[in-house]
């Protein structure tokens, strides 16, 4: 189903990788720091020995990464992908003009609710972190995860649309809701089209852990886990821009479909109006 756009995404990536490496590294580093905070700096034995001032810095850094850093990295990947797909000759200037105080505020608002659900999920998974204050049972967590999936689906087009048009946060959310309506099956299939990449990274991670820790693949290795999750043993440096280029092409097609349907509907209404006049 996605063979054509994924082939196109690969071609663009191979020809323009140098433009995508910085936003890719930014997202990977931010995810790495986020995981470092949750899986190492805030585990009870270490957290309890830190000064209050240091704890405050870590909390603020965590919130800054979650609500500002990661959303900005998403937007940068989409903006770069859009410019490359459209053949923008002035890529650096387009990206520079894109990141201003007003747009950063909009990006924050667009991603506020999805990031809240992400924080709840991440902190609950970090079972020995001091940030795991909710300690949700499996039923409540399942409901929250399910709600998060639905929200991410409904808002899937919001960051792309904002990077494309720089509309208001509310308009970006509204357009995403309308664009993704009735597209859940295609959305899930798109995500699952990358599942083998994820499985490959998991297998490599298990094998590496078994080599380092003997036969205990479940051993606690926070730094190795961070490297595997955030960087995919280097694989994410290719996979991340490939995914965002594919997402951009997919969403571009959906917006074209939406505009085409709107045009057909408008023409139909005009024809009906003229027919009624006759």
């Amino acid at each position: 189903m996605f063979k054509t756009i994924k082939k196109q995404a690969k071609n663009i990536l191979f020809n323009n990788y140098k433009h995508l490496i910085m936003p890719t590294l930014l997202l990977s580093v931010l995810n790495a720091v986020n995981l470092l905070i949750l899986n190492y700096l805030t585990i009870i034995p270490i957290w309890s020995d830190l000064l209050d001032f240091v704890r405050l810095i870590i909390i603020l850094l965590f919130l800054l990464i979650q609500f500002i850093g990661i959303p900005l990295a998403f937007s940068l990947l989409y903006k770069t992908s859009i410019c490359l797909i459209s053949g923008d000759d002035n890529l650096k200037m387009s990206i520079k003009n894109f990141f201003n105080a007003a747009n950063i505020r909009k990006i924050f608002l667009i991603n506020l609710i999805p990031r809240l659900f992400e924080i709840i999920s991440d902190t609950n998974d970090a079972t020995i972190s001091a940030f795991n204050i909710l300690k949700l049972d499996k039923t409540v967590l399942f409901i929250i995860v399910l709600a998060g999936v639905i929200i991410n689906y409904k808002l899937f087009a919001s960051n792309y649309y904002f990077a494309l048009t720089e509309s208001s946060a509310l308009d970006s959310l509204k357009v995403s809701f309308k664009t993704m309506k009735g597209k859940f099956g295609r959305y899930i299939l798109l995500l699952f089209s990358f599942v083998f990449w994820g499985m490959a990274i998991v297998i490599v991670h298990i094998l590496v852990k078994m080599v380092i820790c003997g036969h205990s693949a479940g051993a606690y290795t926070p730094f190795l886990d961070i490297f595997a999750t955030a960087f995919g043993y280097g694989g994410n440096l290719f996979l991340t821009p490939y995914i965002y280029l594919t997402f951009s092409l997919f969403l571009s097609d959906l917006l074209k479909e939406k505009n085409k349907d709107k045009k057909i509907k408008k023409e139909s209404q005009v024809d009906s109006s003229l027919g009624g006049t006759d």
Side-chain angles (χ1 to χ4, degrees):
M1 179 182 286
F2 307 109
K3 186 176 180 179
T4 302
I5 63 172
K6 293 182 84 170
K7 182 179 179 180
Q8 187 179 351
K10 284 181 182 178
N11 289 335
I12 295 171
L13 177 59
F14 290 145
N15 293 324
N16 301 276
Y17 184 72
K18 64 181 180 180
H19 299 299
L20 287 156
I21 185 62
M22 288 308 296
T24 299
L25 280 172
L26 175 62
L27 181 59
S28 294
V29 169
L30 288 170
N31 281 325
V33 176
N34 179 59
L35 291 168
L36 179 67
I37 291 171
L38 286 174
N39 297 324
Y40 183 73
L41 293 178
T42 60
I43 62 173
I44 304 302
I46 294 176
W47 186 252
S48 59
D49 290 337
L50 296 176
L51 297 174
D52 289 342
F53 174 74
V54 176
R55 290 184 188 179
L56 178 61
I57 294 298
I58 292 173
I59 292 170
L60 292 175
L61 178 61
F62 176 74
L63 294 175
L64 184 65
I65 289 172
Q66 287 284 356
F67 289 111
I68 302 294
I70 291 177
L72 283 177
F74 290 161
S75 297
L76 181 55
L77 280 162
Y78 274 125
K79 186 63 177 180
T80 306
S81 297
I82 290 166
C83 290
L84 293 175
I85 291 168
S86 65
D88 189 341
D89 294 328
N90 203 358
L91 176 64
K92 290 183 179 179
M93 186 58 66
S94 297
I95 292 173
K96 182 180 178 181
N97 293 336
F98 177 69
F99 285 103
N100 53 63
N103 280 353
I104 291 173
R105 176 179 169 274
K106 293 174 187 177
I107 291 168
F108 165 75
L109 293 173
I110 289 168
N111 291 275
L112 179 59
I113 295 177
R115 295 313 301 172
L116 281 172
F117 277 87
E118 192 69 24
I119 287 175
I120 293 172
S121 178
D122 286 351
T123 54
N124 202 76
D125 287 342
T127 54
I128 58 175
S129 170
F131 284 5
N132 185 11
I133 56 178
L134 296 177
K135 301 187 185 302
L136 303 172
D137 61 43
K138 291 182 179 179
T139 302
V140 175
L141 182 60
F142 174 78
I143 294 171
I144 290 175
V145 169
L146 184 61
V149 169
I150 294 171
I151 288 171
N152 283 327
Y153 155 61
K154 289 292 187 180
L155 302 185
F156 182 63
S158 57
N159 281 302
Y160 170 82
Y161 185 76
F162 177 74
L164 180 67
T165 65
E166 297 185 38
S167 301
S168 69
L170 184 58
D171 283 345
S172 297
L173 296 174
K174 285 181 177 179
V175 169
S176 183
F177 264 76
K178 292 177 181 178
T179 302
M180 298 307 297
K181 184 178 180 181
K183 305 296 190 302
F184 186 71
R186 290 166 69 178
Y187 166 75
I188 292 297
L189 288 174
L190 176 66
L191 298 184
F192 270 89
S193 70
F194 294 99
V195 72
F196 293 108
W197 288 90
M199 290 173 61
I201 292 171
V202 169
I203 291 170
V204 169
H205 185 47
I206 291 172
L207 292 175
V208 170
K209 288 186 76 168
M210 290 179 68
V211 169
I212 294 175
C213 306
H215 294 289
S216 180
Y220 181 63
T221 53
F223 295 104
L224 187 61
D225 295 346
I226 289 168
F227 184 67
T229 303
F231 294 95
Y233 290 100
N236 285 357
L237 297 181
F238 169 81
L239 183 58
T240 297
Y242 175 39
I243 287 174
Y244 276 87
L245 280 166
T246 304
F247 284 176
S248 296
L249 290 166
F250 171 75
L251 290 167
S252 176
D253 287 347
L254 286 189
L255 285 172
K256 288 176 183 176
E257 287 179 18
K258 176 176 171 288
N259 291 333
K260 185 178 179 181
D261 291 343
K262 187 187 293 184
K263 184 178 179 181
I264 292 172
K265 185 178 180 180
K266 187 175 181 180
E267 289 175 351
S268 177
Q269 289 174 343
V270 170
D271 290 343
S272 297
S273 176
L274 291 174
T277 302
D278 291 342

